[in-house]
């Protein structure tokens, strides 16, 4: 038995026993790499995810809605930070991750490459997009890497308000005028399928999933998570009085789950490849925000240095 | 781009409880770390007191040496009250 083999066997043993792995523990390089990729993508998604909503802060229909939307977006900034910090415990750096995102070499959730066209989109993003994210993230609270799991616990605690504020927007509009009801239906039509794509390719087309499940980075498969989301959401759609844009959605007495139609995977791969409606716009907005903030960071650094100098002079 | 130093954040959720590690963040100095920790980790009244410590100032034990570090405590069962048997007459001690 080579020493490396026994390290790996010992590692898998700990995973099988539901032990959490902490940053300074020995881990296979591929485990570390997979986590850095997944956690940083997750962090990027939180940060880029602020952009479609940021557009609506100044157009919220009331102060109450505006405050709630602002709080939600601020949470997303916080969630991005928790996740970047978790990734950094694995030996990558904040600037490295951000550089990769800005160079177009790191991915973020493809859902944020769709435009937010009306106020009903704010409701639908909260209801469907955050709803899908919550299903994914609740499963991830049990992920095997300690810092990732802890970040997920914090995020899930905070995020349930996001989905409710979205649903609340839609429910209010669904009780409103015909035009408002149409806006709701239109937004749901546009966001439904991309929300289902958030869980990633079907299990048979997701070759890396098996290893991630074995390492308990992933606790449920893409298809399992997607089904959970659909089962939760269909009854809620009925409450809103909207029609989900899939004629094949039907409760299956045998399985106890909702059947649904074929997802357009060609669209999914196109958006991932950079050809979604807003890929360029999102990345450009992200880079612009980062570059335009450079002087603030420089000023803070200069100020900190000056304070430090003052301190050392007064000590001397 | 050079990152600002990393700070570990500890929060006392209410008086009477310990400060507990909640995560980390980058800041240009400790003062900014405190302000950012307020915004990042106490948006919902999670704390009444915050400590920030530069991560580089922390000396940590090495998990690979856990055996020599922690095993000496494992065989000292006489440090626990259950090691001692009480006569039945003594109901509670």
């Amino acid at each position: 038995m080579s020493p490396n083999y026994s390290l790996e066997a010992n590692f898998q043993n700990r995973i099988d026993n539901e032990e959490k792995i902490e940053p300074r523990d020995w881990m296979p390089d591929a485990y570390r790499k997979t986590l850095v990729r997944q956690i940083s993508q997750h962090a990027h998604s939180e940060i880029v995810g602020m952009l479609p909503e940021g557009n609506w802060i100044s157009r919220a229909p009331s102060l109450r809605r505006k405050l709630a939307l602002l709080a939600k977006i601020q949470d997303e900034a916080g969630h991005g930070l928790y996740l970047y910090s978790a990734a950094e415990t694995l030996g990558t750096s904040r600037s490295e991750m951000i550089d990769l995102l800005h160079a177009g070499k790191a991915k973020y959730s493809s859902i944020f490459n769709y435009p937010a066209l009306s106020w009903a989109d704010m409701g639908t993003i909260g209801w469907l997009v955050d709803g899908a994210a919550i299903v994914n993230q609740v499963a991830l609270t049990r992920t095997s890497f300690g810092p990732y799991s802890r970040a997920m616990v914090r995020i899930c605690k905070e995020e349930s308000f996001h989905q409710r504020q979205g649903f609340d927007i839609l429910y209010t509009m669904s009780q409103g005028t015909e035009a408002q009801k149409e806006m709701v239906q239109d937004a749901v039509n546009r966001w439904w399928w991309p929300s289902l794509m958030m869980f990633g390719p079907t299990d048979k087309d997701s070759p890396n999933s098996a290893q991630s499940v074995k390492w308990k980075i992933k606790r449920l498969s893409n298809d399992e998570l997607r089904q959970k989301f659909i089962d939760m959401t269909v009854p809620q759609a009925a409450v809103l009085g909207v029609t989900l844009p899939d004629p094949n959605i039907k409760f299956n007495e045998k399985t106890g789950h909702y059947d649904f139609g074929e997802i357009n995977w060609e669209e999914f791969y196109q958006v991932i490849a950079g050809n979604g409606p807003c890929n360029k716009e999102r990345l450009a907005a992200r880079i612009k925000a980062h570059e335009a903030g450079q002087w603030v960071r420089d000023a803070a650094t200069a100020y900190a240095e000056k304070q430090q100098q003052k301190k050392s002079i007064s000590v001397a | 781009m050079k990152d600002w130093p990393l700070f570990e954040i500890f929060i006392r959720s209410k008086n009477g409880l310990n400060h507990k590690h909640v995560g980390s963040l980058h800041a240009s100095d400790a003062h900014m770390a405190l302000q950012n920790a307020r915004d990042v980790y106490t948006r919902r009244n999670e704390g009444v007191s915050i400590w920030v410590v530069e991560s580089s100032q922390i000396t940590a034990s090495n998990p690979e040496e856990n055996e020599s570090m922690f095993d000496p405590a494992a065989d000292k069962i006489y440090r626990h009250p259950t090691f001692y048997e009480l006569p039945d007459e003594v109901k509670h001690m």
Side-chain angles (χ1 to χ4, degrees):
Chain A
M1 200 195 289
S2 76
N4 205 36
Y5 173 78
S6 66
L7 277 173
E8 287 221 35
N10 182 36
F11 176 82
Q12 189 60 49
N13 238 335
R14 293 183 60 196
I15 300 264
D16 293 342
N17 291 330
E18 292 292 326
E19 263 185 64
K20 295 281 185 232
I21 305 302
E22 294 295 342
R24 288 164 59 90
D25 293 344
W26 185 90
M27 61 186 83
D29 281 344
Y31 177 83
R32 184 185 301 274
K33 250 184 151 162
T34 304
L35 275 171
V36 167
R37 187 175 41 85
Q38 180 171 334
I39 301 174
S40 63
Q41 277 182 17
H42 200 156
H44 298 327
S45 302
E46 295 283 354
I47 300 299
V48 177
M50 294 192 279
L51 296 172
E53 295 171 318
N55 196 27
W56 283 93
I57 293 172
S58 59
R59 299 171 209 182
S62 69
L63 185 56
R64 175 174 175 267
R65 299 286 180 197
K66 184 174 181 169
L67 283 173
L69 185 61
L70 267 172
K72 174 181 193 276
I73 295 172
Q74 194 188 8
D75 273 354
E76 278 151 9
H79 297 173
L81 288 176
Y82 304 156
L83 287 159
Y84 281 130
S85 297
E88 280 174 274
T89 65
L90 290 159
T92 181
S93 73
R94 183 76 53 99
S95 51
E96 209 176 321
M97 289 185 274
I98 289 175
D99 287 347
L100 283 173
L101 172 69
H102 292 177
K105 288 181 188 154
K107 301 237 179 299
Y108 53 87
S109 181
S110 60
I111 192 84
F112 301 116
N113 292 316
Y114 290 86
L117 300 178
S118 81
W119 177 249
D121 286 48
M122 290 303 96
T124 312
I125 288 174
W127 176 44
L128 295 180
V129 177
D130 287 84
I134 289 169
V135 168
N136 186 32
Q137 292 174 155
V138 165
L140 281 172
T141 59
R142 299 190 300 120
T143 192
S144 59
F145 185 57
Y148 193 23
S149 153
R150 293 192 285 275
M152 281 299 113
V153 171
R154 285 192 82 85
I155 289 176
C156 286
K157 253 190 220 161
E158 298 182 353
E159 197 139 289
S160 53
F161 119 74
H162 296 188
Q163 197 187 11
R164 284 190 187 201
Q165 72 92 37
F167 190 82
D168 187 53
I169 290 172
L170 294 181
Y171 188 70
T172 307
M173 291 180 82
S174 74
Q175 311 288 89
T177 64
E178 277 311 307
Q180 286 171 326
K181 286 180 196 169
E182 272 167 36
M183 274 165 81
V184 172
Q185 184 62 57
D186 171 62
V188 170
N189 288 348
R190 284 181 287 108
W191 288 95
W192 173 250
W193 289 107
S195 300
L196 296 189
M197 295 176 198
M198 283 175 71
F199 299 98
T202 55
D203 294 348
K204 66 174 172 27
D205 293 323
S206 183
N208 298 326
S209 282
Q211 184 56 263
S212 280
V213 168
K214 189 170 173 228
W215 278 332
K216 298 190 179 169
I217 293 174
K218 276 178 91 116
R219 302 304 303 244
L220 294 171
S221 77
N222 295 355
D223 286 335
E224 285 171 319
L225 291 165
R226 188 165 16 244
Q227 187 67 57
K228 237 181 198 305
F229 172 69
I230 291 170
D231 290 346
M232 261 174 43
T233 310
V234 174
Q236 294 167 0
V239 176
L240 290 176
V242 289
T243 309
L244 296 172
D246 177 359
N248 292 314
I249 289 183
K250 211 178 133 217
F251 190 71
N252 185 328
E253 297 283 352
K254 247 194 253 150
T255 60
H257 297 290
Y258 285 92
D259 293 336
F260 56 98
E262 187 63 32
I263 293 171
N264 181 355
W265 292 111
E266 180 50 29
E267 175 182 328
F268 173 74
Y269 289 112
Q270 279 296 328
V271 179
I272 283 196
N275 303 320
C278 299
N279 295 56
K280 289 193 182 69
E281 188 185 329
R282 298 291 183 240
L283 205 54
R286 193 61 219 107
I287 293 169
K288 186 181 162 215
H290 189 70
E291 287 176 353
Q294 185 61 48
W295 70 271
V296 180
R297 294 191 293 278
D298 290 344
T301 306
Y303 178 76
E305 278 165 9
K306 228 175 179 175
Q307 291 300 106
Q308 196 58 41
Q309 276 168 10
K310 255 192 205 161
K311 231 194 238 164
S312 47
I313 289 168
S314 66
V315 167
Chain B
M1 185 185 112
K2 200 174 153 285
D3 283 329
W4 282 333
L6 191 67
F7 289 83
E8 300 300 323
I9 313 301
F10 300 81
I11 296 202
R12 186 202 295 288
S13 57
K14 61 178 189 184
N15 277 7
L17 296 178
N18 294 323
H19 284 78
K20 199 175 152 200
H21 184 245
V22 293
S24 55
L25 53 78
H26 289 277
S28 59
D29 61 12
H31 182 66
M32 185 197 262
L34 260 185
Q35 290 179 328
N36 287 357
R38 197 263 323 253
D39 290 341
V40 176
Y41 292 106
T42 65
R43 287 196 301 284
R44 290 177 176 80
N45 298 317
E46 289 96 334
V48 295
S49 165
I50 304 175
W51 288 349
V52 301
V53 181
E54 228 184 289
S55 312
S56 62
Q57 298 296 312
I58 291 179
T59 307
S61 66
N62 182 350
E64 275 160 38
E65 289 161 10
N66 271 6
E67 221 169 291
S68 59
M69 191 80 168
F70 300 110
D71 276 8
D75 60 358
K76 296 179 176 58
I77 47 172
Y78 45 86
R79 285 178 175 164
H80 299 277
T82 45
F83 178 75
Y84 304 91
E85 265 182 47
L86 283 181
D88 288 344
E89 299 94 290
V90 182
K91 295 271 183 281
H92 185 75
M93 183 181 282

